[in-house]
Amino acid sequence: MAFERIKLRRVSGSLGAEVRGADLRGLDDRTFDEVHRALLEHEVLFFPESGLDDDAQMALAHRFGKPSVFPLLRVMGATGPTFQVIEDGPDSPNAADDWHTDVTWTAEPPKVALLRAGVVPAAGGDTMWGSMTAAYEALSPAMQDFLSSLEVVHDNESFIRAAGPKMGDTEEAKMILEQLRAEYPPVTHPLVRTHPETGRRAILYGGDFMRRVVGMSEPESDAILAFVSDHIDQSRFQCRWSWTPGDLAIWDERSTVHQAVNDHFPQRRSVHRCVVDGDRPFFDPERRAEPRAGG
Ligand SMILES: [Fe+2]
């Protein structure tokens, strides 16, 4: 189906498209449907100089579903959807410079993320995305079948380790993080997930949140996770966006990984992020979908 309201320019061969022609502050239903369809096809969309503020970004998140309460902020008392303003600078080096999918240590990780650039460094500070659909499809049928049979335990150990110092390592911070650990215990996800909307298969890669492959010895599990980690880290699966203040990226958390390139330290960079609740990842051996038409 063609796009009538929006114009797309693909930014790589695997995933990503820049979108023109959508006024994000007041999307009519038909235009939103096209944006949604483009997201499922291209996995990450870029809206240069979107003109959004935090409220408008949150309103847009609502169009995709229920904006999430970030677990740490929920434990700290937040009841409504939350924004995270992530700031890098001399005192807070970027900590998201490894491939990951957001918050896979929860039973129902987010389905969509919306990230808007605030302060942008003079050079550097790009974000990269990888198509886990393309990474899955590039595997041999034998490896596809094998990896599809596996489940992986994800946990929040690495998140908690990084959060402690950022929260000042106080007694109160320790208690909050203990509560987070108690309320969000390790969770098992399939290593290959079926996309609930498109039916396509994608590797579910949680980066440092992945602890071990269920039913395997440690050396076996380490070898499999090391293979997956190497496999997804290929330039042919990737795209990259160089930010201008106000640019908005929307990505499908169910089929992509991302990382913030850490080449701007100690320059400042800030991004405004909100995510939308997802559902429990699953693998359906019966369901197969047509490959994507475009990257
Ligand atoms: Fe992230």
Side-chain angles (χ1 to χ4, degrees):
M1 234 184 333
F3 294 98
E4 292 170 0
R5 303 290 179 100
I6 59 174
K7 280 201 165 45
L8 298 174
R9 180 186 69 85
R10 289 171 59 182
V11 303
S12 87
S14 261
L15 82 168
E18 181 183 317
V19 184
R20 302 276 179 181
D23 177 3
L24 295 179
R25 281 161 300 192
L27 279 182
D28 59 79
D29 287 346
R30 240 180 95 190
T31 309
F32 176 76
D33 285 347
E34 290 198 4
V35 168
H36 183 231
R37 191 150 50 84
L39 180 65
L40 295 178
E41 200 60 27
H42 297 281
E43 303 188 313
V44 51
L45 301 179
F46 303 102
F47 299 85
E49 298 174 62
S50 65
L52 299 186
D53 56 18
D54 286 355
D55 288 344
Q57 185 176 333
M58 191 59 89
L60 179 59
H62 266 284
R63 303 290 293 270
F64 290 94
K66 187 166 166 248
S68 308
V69 187
F70 189 66
L72 178 62
L73 300 174
R74 195 186 70 71
V75 167
M76 292 169 78
T79 52
T82 48
F83 251 102
Q84 288 176 285
V85 180
I86 302 161
E87 295 186 351
D88 312 331
D91 308 321
S92 54
N94 178 341
D97 57 342
D98 282 318
W99 291 118
H100 65 281
T101 312
D102 290 319
V103 217
T104 62
W105 43 270
T106 56
E108 298 179 342
K111 74 173 200 183
V112 168
L114 298 88
L115 188 82
R116 194 178 90 250
V119 176
V120 171
D126 296 357
T127 302
M128 296 171 68
W129 286 263
S131 171
M132 294 301 92
T133 316
Y136 170 80
E137 288 166 0
L139 293 166
S140 66
M143 189 56 100
Q144 287 178 345
D145 286 348
F146 175 56
L147 296 187
S148 299
S149 71
L150 302 179
E151 292 189 317
V152 176
V153 176
H154 296 235
D155 70 31
N156 52 23
E157 287 300 320
S158 64
F159 176 81
I160 287 175
R161 232 183 358 262
K166 277 191 206 153
M167 294 166 73
D169 274 330
T170 59
E171 278 308 309
E172 192 194 354
K174 263 186 208 150
M175 277 172 54
I176 290 166
L177 292 172
E178 277 308 313
Q179 197 181 337
L180 183 76
R181 197 193 308 270
E183 291 187 25
Y184 295 89
V187 61
T188 299
H189 294 307
L191 181 52
V192 175
R193 74 182 294 186
T194 302
H195 193 290
E197 291 187 78
T198 67
R200 295 185 191 111
R201 294 174 180 180
I203 295 172
L204 198 180
Y205 185 81
D208 285 345
F209 305 143
M210 295 197 295
R211 196 56 48 229
R212 62 183 170 81
V213 179
V214 175
M216 285 191 173
S217 67
E218 198 172 325
E220 290 170 345
S221 172
D222 288 352
I224 298 299
L225 294 181
F227 166 76
V228 173
S229 175
D230 280 351
H231 174 71
I232 66 151
D233 188 24
Q234 296 186 54
S235 54
R236 60 182 169 143
F237 305 141
Q238 299 166 9
C239 74
R240 179 170 181 143
W241 188 256
S242 189
W243 299 96
T244 296
D247 287 358
L248 177 80
I250 303 177
W251 67 92
D252 193 333
E253 293 268 10
R254 300 161 297 186
S255 63
T256 60
V257 290
H258 59 280
Q259 63 171 298
V261 178
N262 194 10
D263 60 354
H264 55 289
F265 182 84
Q267 291 183 83
R268 293 187 183 281
R269 172 187 187 266
S270 70
V271 286
H272 298 230
R273 185 183 85 137
C274 58
V275 298
V276 177
D277 282 353
D279 41 24
R280 181 117 202 185
F282 64 91
F283 175 71
D284 182 350
E286 303 299 324
R287 198 164 167 200
R288 288 192 178 271
E290 291 298 307
R292 293 174 302 145

